[in-house]
Amino acid sequence: MINGAHSIIFSENAEADSAFLRDVLGLPHVDVGDGWLIFGLPPAEVAVHPSDKNDVHQLYLMTHDVEALIETLSLRDIDCSPVQDQGWGLVTEITLPGGGKLSVYQPRHVRPQSTFASARKGRGASTKKKGIHMAAKKASKKAAKKAAKKAPKKAAKKAAKKAGKKKAGRKKA
C-alpha cells in the first residue's frame, strides 16, 4: 500500500541546502526539472509519539556512529551541536548552509525491517510486477552462484583432460 515517504526541509537558502545534501552527505538524487532535486534516502522508519497537539512532525536522519559523523563533518567546517544522550539514542543537530538545523541520531533500538527489504525478499511485494522482478533477480543470482561454483571444477576437468592427452601422446611416440 505505502511504497515510500517524502520528507520536506523548508529552507531560506534551498540551493545551498540541496548542495549540502548532494555534495556533503552524498545522497543520490534526480533532477525533476529546472535544477529541482529530489533526494533518495536510506530505509526509513516512523514512530507515533503522544502529544498535546496534532500536526507536529520531526525529521531525523540516522547514523551508526554519531561521533564519527561529527568528526567527518567538522573536517568540512560544518557545525554540529554537542551530542545529547536521550536514552533512546545519541542526538546531534547539523547546521545547514541555509541556517536551519537537521537532527541526526544514533539509535539504540533494534531497527524494524523496511517494507522495501521485505519486498526484495519476495515477501510483501505490493504488485505482481515487483514480485516477478524480484523473483527473476533472485533466480539470476542463484544461477550466477551456481556457475561460479562450477567454474573451478570445469577448469580442473579441462586441465586434467589436457594433461591426459599429453600423456597419451607421449606413450604413442
Side-chain angles (χ1 to χ4, degrees):
M1 189 180 327
I2 300 296
N3 66 1
H6 182 89
S7 301
I8 300 171
I9 299 171
F10 291 94
S11 172
E12 292 179 4
N13 190 343
E15 281 187 33
D17 288 350
S18 288
F20 173 83
L21 296 175
R22 180 191 63 220
D23 302 335
V24 176
L25 296 185
L27 295 178
H29 60 280
V30 294
D31 186 328
V32 295
D34 299 322
W36 192 270
L37 304 181
I38 303 290
F39 294 92
L41 292 173
E45 59 189 36
V46 64
V48 180
H49 291 240
S51 176
D52 56 355
K53 57 184 174 177
N54 284 325
D55 301 323
V56 177
H57 312 290
Q58 295 179 331
L59 169 67
Y60 287 83
L61 295 182
M62 299 167 71
T63 182
H64 293 291
D65 187 344
V66 73
E67 295 290 348
L69 174 76
I70 291 170
E71 189 176 312
T72 300
L73 293 176
S74 71
L75 296 173
R76 298 186 76 156
D77 294 323
I78 297 164
D79 293 328
C80 296
S81 68
V83 174
Q84 294 181 1
D85 186 338
Q86 298 292 338
W88 43 265
L90 303 174
V91 181
T92 187
E93 285 185 330
I94 298 172
T95 302
L96 297 173
K101 306 275 188 198
L102 183 59
S103 297
V104 180
Y105 86 107
Q106 177 182 328
R108 290 200 170 115
H109 62 273
V110 175
R111 298 284 314 278
Q113 183 176 4
S114 73
T115 55
F116 176 73
S118 62
R120 286 182 62 202
K121 291 181 180 175
R123 298 178 306 219
S126 61
T127 65
K128 280 186 177 181
K129 189 176 180 181
K130 275 188 186 175
I132 291 167
H133 172 71
M134 293 304 161
K137 200 171 184 180
K138 196 173 185 179
S140 65
K141 279 186 179 179
K142 266 187 176 178
K145 280 184 181 179
K146 207 172 188 180
K149 281 183 181 178
K150 285 184 176 180
K153 289 178 184 175
K154 271 188 173 179
K157 277 185 179 179
K158 200 174 186 179
K161 221 177 191 181
K162 245 186 182 176
K165 282 182 180 178
K166 283 182 182 177
K167 286 180 185 176
R170 285 184 194 151
K171 285 181 182 176
K172 287 181 182 177

